[in-house]
């Protein structure tokens, strides 16, 4: 008999069953070696920003392990790039969660200037971190991937500043507006850019503009952030950041309770999964190998991302306790103020 839920709990849907249509390609064999390297690198910066409690939390979350799940095919150099990006995104996200909208906008300006002009140096940790990433990884990408990554990352940090301002106003968007907004603030586009890099691809722009490819790309992107929003909802509502989460958006837009919103999310993920698989089939029928071979391989790798992201979310301590996979019941946390990120 399933465990009963109460107003203080909700039951997680079996997204793992929905995502089982994507192959399980295991963990990347370069994980252990690359993790040591990436952790040593990011420690140069998180020690400048984070207190000991938040650094311990980061260690336990093991964001490097997430990339081993979602990029199982990547060579060592590619996996190291994905780990460095995951650590940048975590640190940047935690930093902007603790500052004002104005400060988040200023941080975005620093990122933009650094990525577009690697000679720029304002002496800040953000500038030095992003310059490292550009030199070590982005300048080794193909020109199309490099251009898209820089544009996507700069747009991401710009909208993170906007997200901080919305959070200050406690403003909740409608579902469609939130989907378009979250596609940019989730940073999934930058992670998908590294999919191409890890596969040794540099897809031409006409592929990215193709309707079938775009359909599959958007489906995969939405699957990642819908799942992430679900898994992080409890932590975000406790921190007072629940307004920028698809679960809250669904509850407000449809006038439903928490469990109904979660169940709606699960059904939508089934639809998005079909959309991604249908895009693969459509592109596979094309005569142009840029579509039938390269674009299809890219969408297949997005499937690795979707399935791997779900698997890692239950392997890490970031979201849930150890028994959550058995019970599927999440107990809502009481509101709290988490100031552990800032160095005292």
């Amino acid at each position: 008999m399933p465990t009963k839920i109460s107003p203080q709990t909700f039951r997680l849907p079996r997204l793992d069953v929905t995502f089982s249509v994507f192959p399980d390609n295991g963990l990347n064999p370069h994980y252990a070696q690359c993790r040591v390297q990436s952790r040593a690198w990011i420690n140069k910066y998180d020690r400048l920003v984070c207190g000991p409690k938040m650094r311990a939390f980061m260690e336990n979350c093991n964001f490097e392990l997430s990339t081993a799940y979602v990029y199982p095919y990547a060579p060592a150099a590619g996996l190291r790039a994905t780990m460095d990006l995951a650590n940048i995104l975590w640190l940047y996200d935690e930093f902007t969660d603790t500052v004002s909208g104005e400060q988040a906008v200023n941080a975005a300006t620093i990122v933009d200037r650094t990525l577009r002009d690697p000679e720029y140096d304002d002496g800040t940790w953000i500038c030095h971190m992003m310059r490292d990433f550009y030199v070590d990884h982005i300048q080794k990408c193909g020109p199309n991937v490099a251009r898209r990554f820089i544009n996507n990352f700069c747009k991401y940090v710009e909208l993170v500043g906007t997200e901080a301002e919305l959070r200050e106003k406690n403003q909740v968007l409608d579902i469609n507006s939130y989907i378009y907004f979250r596609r940019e603030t989730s940073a999934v586009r930058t992670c998908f850019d590294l999919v191409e890099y890890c596969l040794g691809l540099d897809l031409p722009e006409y592929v990215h503009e193709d309707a079938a490819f775009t359909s599959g790309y958007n489906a995969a992107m939405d699957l990642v952030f819908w799942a992430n929003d679900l898994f992080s909802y409890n932590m975000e509502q406790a921190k007072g950041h629940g307004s920028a989460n698809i679960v809250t958006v669904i509850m407000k837009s449809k006038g439903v309770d928490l469990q109904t919103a979660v169940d709606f999310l699960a059904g939508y993920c089934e639809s998005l999964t079909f959309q991604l698989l249908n895009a693969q089939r459509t592109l596979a029928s094309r005569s142009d190998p840029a579509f039938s071979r390269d674009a299809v391989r890219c969408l297949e790798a997005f499937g690795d991302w979707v399935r791997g992201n779900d698997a890692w979310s239950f392997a890490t301590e970031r979201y849930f306790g150890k028994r959550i996979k058995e019970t599927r019941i999440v107990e809502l946390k009481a509101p709290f103020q988490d100031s552990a990120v800032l160095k005292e």
Side-chain angles (χ1 to χ4, degrees), residues 300-316:
E300 290 172 347
F302 293 167
D304 289 324
W305 232 105
V306 172
R307 178 164 184 161
N309 178 62
D310 178 79
W312 172 77
S313 296
F314 291 93
T316 181

Side-chain angles (χ1 to χ4, degrees), residues 41 44-45 84 88 110-140 149-150 153:
W41 173 74
K44 295 190 302 182
Y45 300 108
D84 287 357
I88 286 172
I110 295 172
V111 170
D112 189 282
R113 292 194 64 179
T114 303
L115 286 178
R116 299 189 189 281
D117 178 12
E119 299 300 318
Y120 173 73
D121 185 357
D122 66 355
T124 63
W125 66 270
I126 293 177
C127 175
H128 292 173
M129 179 179 69
M130 296 310 304
R131 185 173 59 186
D132 282 355
F133 189 78
Y134 178 88
V135 171
D136 292 342
H137 307 300
I138 298 307
Q139 69 177 8
K140 299 174 184 177
F149 179 90
I150 291 172
F153 198 96

Side-chain angles (χ1 to χ4, degrees), residues 12 32 123 142 151 155 176 181 205 226 242 260 308 320 323 340 343:
L12 289 171
N151 289 338
K155 189 170 185 180
N176 286 334
F181 185 68
E205 201 60 28
W226 280 64
T260 303
F320 309 115
R323 293 188 64 246
K343 187 171 181 179

Side-chain angles (χ1 to χ4, degrees), residues 22 28 56 89 106 129 170 250 272 319:
F22 304 117
N28 191 297
L89 293 173
N106 181 62
M129 179 179 69
N170 200 31
I250 294 170
L272 290 170
Y319 302 123

Side-chain angles (χ1 to χ4, degrees), residues 84-104:
D84 287 357
L85 177 62
N87 282 325
I88 286 172
L89 293 173
W90 172 84
L91 186 56
Y92 191 86
D93 186 57
E94 292 296 333
F95 172 72
T96 54
D97 271 356
T98 65
V99 301
S100 68
E102 181 180 357
Q103 290 172 302

Side-chain angles (χ1 to χ4, degrees), residues 172-179 246 249 253:
V172 180
L173 301 175
D174 62 71
I175 293 179
N176 286 334
S177 297
Y178 182 78
I179 288 173
I246 191 61
V249 169
S253 295

